[in-house]
């Protein structure tokens, strides 16, 4: 696929062999070399696109950034264009660091300016926390130990990033690099001379993560350290920074929101990063790293102490590999630790809260029940719908629950209280599936009326109705990508469709199953589909089928990825749950214990929940 870079093009999708857009005539190849594939982001000064370099035989991935300010009046500003050119110069200088994307090209075409950068494969931290839930203190230690040398590097080059936040930190998927985290988006960065440090300038950055002095245009090196500290407390709590700050007292109250106790020395370090007066804050990245390697932190986290007192440079040190701290999944056994009984009919859907130790289940008895996942205690029951509850979904921040029913409605509830927030009407037949977008602002639903509907969560407003399936819609979800994530749906027509839901277009049609496609799961780029034909198929949504997993006897109803994406679980008519290694197709474990079909599964990384026609929910953990 080739995506037109003309921001005014009404239909930007084109075949990947075309040279010019069939809609507007815009040249599709940038510099006769780089082809945009799809949009992946939008900032204050530009749009970014996933792209390929067609000059090289392997067509490696890259990123195109187009200068396109949200404030269109800036387009005529020489100053704004000069800032974009300066970003290119900074990237040329800083991109030599392994944890900063390299600049590949910078030029102007058709009156628009472009940067072409190295593509970093992996989720940003906003996506990562939505997938896995809160970070542990050990993971935050690694993040700091990994990124502080990067800040030391850019500060040495007299650059302040000024926009450090979860979205601008990518957790690299590739294992060939020692460093796991990459710092991106230097569009807000500022090059300074020593005499400029306290000179008032433009306020820029993301408000919730911005240091106080930066809001009045007085950025200093310690401003980046403050933003990194705010990023860390967000990862530890998954609570918006605005809700972690007491404005009356002028204090951070983030420790009250911790889901579990943390290393106290590390907490004190984070508190010092967050000091409002710059004189009380850490002044340099190397100063933070020295405290980060405090003996008390290392001993409690079980990290081997460095032999040298001198903190080594980022390029020479060895970084903690979290993947080596636990036994591989295939070496572990699994057992049922709890069976939850209380529904008066089959249990069709189950979800685990992304932060707290609670879960919810939806049933043919028309209720939704909330449970304590550690004790099995029933916490609350909602008389939710006028007919069977077909499916439920939890928002990435854990604040809302969506439910869908044979009564043709979708309902939005507050998780903590069970308060009904919205009832969404418009479907003309049973609603079979619902899913929140990665940022939690959009909800998608699919129905036996053969449509997929897209709603605004805050208001319940219907944004889009997608038509294309030739039979009942059975499952729907968003790919885990920022800004405009593609929407994926499956149907009894045996297909999986990938949609640009804002444009209302099908951008990929995945065919290969020989029966209805009941369930879907996804990572950033991979789609898993579960079918009545007894198989699970793994797809790259752009290039097609990658692998077929066979092993169930009968229909497969649901499939889920482990939060890291390196394991997969499926369930079905044969009453079993099966764990797979998706890259090899190896079957690792078969879990048995349900007395009837297993309809739904949830997986938070440590606990698996399964819902069955036998009227129970079972919780499974590793031995």
């Amino acid at each position: 696929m080739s995506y037109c870079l003309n921001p005014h093009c009404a239909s930007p999708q084109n075949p990947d062999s075309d040279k010019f857009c069939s809609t507007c005539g815009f040249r599709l190849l940038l510099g006769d070399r780089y082809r945009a594939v799809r949009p992946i982001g939008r900032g204050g000064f530009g749009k970014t696109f996933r792209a390929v370099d067609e000059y090289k035989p392997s067509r490696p991935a890259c990123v195109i950034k187009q200068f396109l300010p949200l404030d269109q009046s800036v387009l005529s500003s020489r100053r704004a264009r000069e800032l974009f050119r300066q970003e290119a110069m900074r990237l040329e200088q800083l991109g030599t660091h392994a944890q900063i994307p390299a600049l590949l090209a910078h030029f102007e075409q058709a009156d628009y300016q472009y940067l072409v950068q190295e593509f970093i494969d992996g989720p940003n931290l906003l996506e990562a926390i939505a997938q896995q839930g809160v970070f542990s203190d050990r993971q935050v230690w690694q993040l700091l130990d990994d990124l502080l040398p990067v800040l030391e590097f850019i500060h040495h080059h007299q650059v302040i990033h000024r926009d450090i936040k979860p979205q601008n930190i990518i957790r690299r998927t590739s294992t060939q690099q020692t460093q796991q985290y990459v710092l991106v988006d230097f569009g807000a960065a500022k090059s300074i001379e020593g005499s400029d440090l306290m000179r008032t300038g433009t306020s820029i950055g993301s408000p919730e993560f911005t240091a106080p002095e930066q809001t009045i245009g007085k950025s200093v090196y310690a401003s980046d350290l403050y933003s990194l500290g705010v990023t860390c407390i967000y990862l530890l709590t998954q609570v918006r920074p605005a809700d972690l700050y007491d404005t009356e007292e002028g204090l951070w109250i983030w420790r009250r929101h911790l889901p579990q106790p943390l290393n106290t020395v590390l907490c004190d370090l984070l508190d010092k990063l967050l000091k409002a007066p710059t004189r009380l804050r850490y002044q340099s990245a190397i100063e933070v790293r020295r405290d980060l390697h405090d003996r008390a932190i290392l001993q409690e986290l079980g990290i081997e102490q460095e032999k040298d007192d001198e903190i080594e440079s980022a390029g020479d040190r060895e970084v903690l590999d979290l993947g080596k701290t636990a036994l591989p999944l295939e070496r572990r056994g699994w057992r049922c630790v709890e069976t939850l009984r209380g529904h008066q009919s089959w249990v069709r859907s189950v979800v685990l809260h992304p932060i707290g130790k609670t879960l919810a289940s939806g049933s043919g008895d028309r209720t939704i029940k909330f449970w304590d996942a550690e004790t099995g205690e029933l916490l609350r029951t909602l008389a939710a719908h006028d007919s069977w509850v077909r499916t439920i979904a939890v928002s990435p921040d854990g604040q809302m629950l969506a439910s869908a029913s044979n009564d043709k409605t979708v309902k939005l509830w507050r998780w903590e209280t069970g308060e009904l927030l919205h009832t969404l009407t418009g479907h003309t037949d049973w609603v079979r599936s619902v899913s929140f977008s990665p940022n939690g602002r959009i909800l998608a639903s699919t129905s036996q009326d053969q449509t997929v509907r897209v709603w605004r969560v805050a208001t319940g407003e219907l944004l889009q109705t997608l038509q294309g399936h030739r039979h009942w819609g059975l499952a729907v979800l968003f790919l885990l990508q920022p800004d405009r994530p593609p929407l994926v749906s499956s149907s009894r027509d045996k297909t999986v469709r990938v949609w640009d839901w804002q444009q209302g277009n099908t951008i990929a049609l995945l065919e290969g199953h020989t029966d209805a496609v009941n369930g879907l799961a996804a990572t950033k780029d991979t789609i898993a589909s579960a079918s009545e034909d007894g198989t699970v198929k793994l797809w790259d949504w752009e290039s097609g089928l990658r692998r077929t997993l066979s092993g169930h006897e009968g229909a497969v109803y649901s499939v889920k990825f482990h939060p890291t994406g390196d394991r997969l679980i499926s369930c079905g008519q044969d009453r079993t749950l099966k764990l797979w290694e998706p890259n090899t197709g190896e079957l690792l474990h078969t879990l048995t214990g349900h007395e009837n079909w297993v309809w739904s599964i949830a997986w938070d990384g440590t606990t698996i929940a399964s819902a069955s026609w036998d009227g129970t929910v079972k919780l499974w953990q590793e031995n």
Side-chain angles (χ1 to χ4, degrees), residues 134 238 259 352-359 373-374 398 415-416 604:
V134 294
Q238 206 171 4
L352 286 159
H353 193 273
I355 303 174
K357 299 297 183 180
T358 56
L359 64 93
E374 293 185 323
W415 182 285
E416 288 298 325
D604 64 4

Side-chain angles (χ1 to χ4, degrees), residues 543-588:
S543 59
L545 182 64
R546 288 171 42 194
R547 187 176 302 279
T548 299
L549 309 179
S550 301
H552 281 285
E553 297 179 5
V556 187
Y557 293 125
S558 185
V559 63
K560 287 289 183 296
F561 279 102
H562 185 276
T564 62
D566 64 350
R567 294 294 185 270
L568 188 75
I569 188 166
S570 57
C571 65
Q573 193 173 7
D574 60 6
R575 310 178 186 182
T576 70
L577 292 78
K578 293 185 181 292
L579 273 69
W580 310 85
E581 209 293 333
N583 291 323
T584 65
E586 179 186 2
L587 176 61
L588 303 176

Side-chain angles (χ1 to χ4, degrees), residues 194-200 213 217-220 278:
S195 60
D196 292 336
L197 279 175
M198 293 307 295
R199 183 180 300 170
T200 301
E213 69 278 3
K218 293 185 176 182
S219 302
V220 294
T278 55

Side-chain angles (χ1 to χ4, degrees), residues 262-282:
L262 298 184
N263 178 289
T264 55
V265 183
L266 180 61
C267 288
D268 292 342
L269 182 151
L270 293 176
D271 282 336
K272 188 172 179 180
L273 283 173
L274 298 169
K275 294 291 185 184
T278 55
R279 63 182 175 81
L280 299 179
R281 200 182 307 158
Y282 286 105

Side-chain angles (χ1 to χ4, degrees), residues 241-539:
D243 296 327
L244 297 175
Y245 190 81
D246 187 332
T247 55
E248 292 186 3
E249 297 295 330
L251 297 172
W252 287 100
I253 55 171
W254 64 277
R255 295 196 194 201
R256 302 179 192 175
H257 295 268
L258 290 171
Q260 56 191 5
L262 298 184
N263 178 289
T264 55
V265 183
L266 180 61
C267 288
D268 292 342
L269 182 151
L270 293 176
D271 282 336
K272 188 172 179 180
L273 283 173
L274 298 169
K275 294 291 185 184
T278 55
R279 63 182 175 81
L280 299 179
R281 200 182 307 158
Y282 286 105
Q283 299 300 300
S284 70
I286 192 68
E287 184 182 347
V288 186
R289 289 199 67 226
R290 288 197 180 104
D291 280 2
L292 187 68
H293 286 254
D294 182 281
R295 185 185 303 272
I297 294 179
L298 299 180
Q299 287 180 343
E300 187 169 334
L301 297 182
I303 299 168
E304 185 177 352
Q305 188 171 5
E306 292 193 12
K307 297 178 181 179
D308 299 327
D309 293 333
E310 182 85 69
I311 298 297
E312 299 173 9
S313 68
D316 295 332
R317 81 186 191 282
E318 196 166 314
V319 177
L320 170 70
D321 182 358
L322 287 177
K324 296 178 182 177
T325 63
L327 285 172
L329 187 59
E330 58 265 35
R331 296 183 186 175
R332 303 169 182 165
W334 287 80
R335 63 188 179 91
C336 178
V337 296
E338 198 76 50
T339 298
L340 310 181
R341 306 178 189 274
H343 281 294
Q344 302 303 308
S345 182
W346 42 257
V347 188
R348 186 70 191 222
S349 187
V350 63
V351 293
L352 286 159
H353 193 273
I355 303 174
K357 299 297 183 180
T358 56
L359 64 93
S361 54
S363 169
D365 63 12
R366 308 181 183 185
T367 71
I368 298 170
K369 293 184 181 291
F370 293 81
W371 312 80
D372 185 310
E374 293 185 323
T375 66
E377 176 189 1
L378 177 61
L379 304 176
R380 184 171 58 255
T381 298
L382 301 182
H385 285 273
D386 295 332
S387 188
W388 301 344
V389 179
R390 279 279 175 183
T391 186
I392 55 177
V394 62
S395 61
D397 62 7
Q399 294 186 21
M400 283 183 285
L401 182 82
S403 61
S405 168
N406 285 14
D407 65 12
K408 308 175 187 177
T409 70
V410 176
K411 296 191 177 189
L412 290 171
W413 312 84
R414 197 175 302 282
W415 182 285
E416 288 298 325
T417 63
E419 175 191 359
L420 178 62
L421 302 175
H422 296 293
T423 298
L424 312 181
T425 59
H427 282 296
T428 59
D429 206 335
W430 298 355
V431 188
R432 303 293 295 249
S433 180
V434 289
S435 178
F436 286 94
S437 64
N439 63 15
R441 298 174 185 170
I442 304 298
L443 185 78
S445 58
T446 190
S447 163
Q448 290 185 184
D449 63 13
Q450 302 182 29
T451 70
V452 177
R453 294 177 187 257
V454 184
W455 317 81
R456 192 184 307 279
V457 170
T459 63
E461 173 191 1
L462 177 63
L463 300 177
Q464 188 69 270
T465 299
L466 307 175
Q467 296 179 309
H469 283 299
R470 301 185 305 276
H471 211 307
W472 299 347
L474 297 179
V476 67
L477 54 73
F478 290 88
L479 292 183
L480 297 177
Q481 297 180 0
D483 296 326
R484 289 181 56 181
L487 184 63
V488 186
S489 63
S490 70
S491 168
R492 200 169 180 82
D493 66 9
K494 310 175 188 178
T495 69
V496 176
R497 286 180 180 266
V498 184
W499 308 83
D500 180 334
W501 60 267
Q502 290 185 319
Q503 296 292 328
N505 300 327
T506 297
I507 55 179
L509 179 64
L510 309 180
E511 298 179 292
H513 281 295
T514 59
D515 210 331
V517 184
N518 295 314
L520 294 170
T523 61
K524 184 177 179 181
D525 297 305
T526 302
I527 299 169
S529 55
S531 173
E532 290 275 344
D533 64 16
T535 70
V536 174
K537 291 185 182 291
L538 302 177
W539 314 80

Side-chain angles (χ1 to χ4, degrees), residues 78-94 103 106 113 115 159 162 186-187 189-191:
R78 291 184 179 180
R79 178 59 180 159
R81 288 177 177 267
E82 177 61 19
L83 288 173
F84 195 76
R85 187 187 69 82
Q86 289 177 9
E87 180 183 357
M89 294 175 63
R90 281 192 295 270
L91 287 172
E92 184 177 13
Q93 179 187 41
L94 301 177
L103 178 70
H106 168 236
Q113 283 188 301
L115 301 178
V159 172
R162 297 201 298 178
F186 283 74
K190 181 181 182 181
S191 297

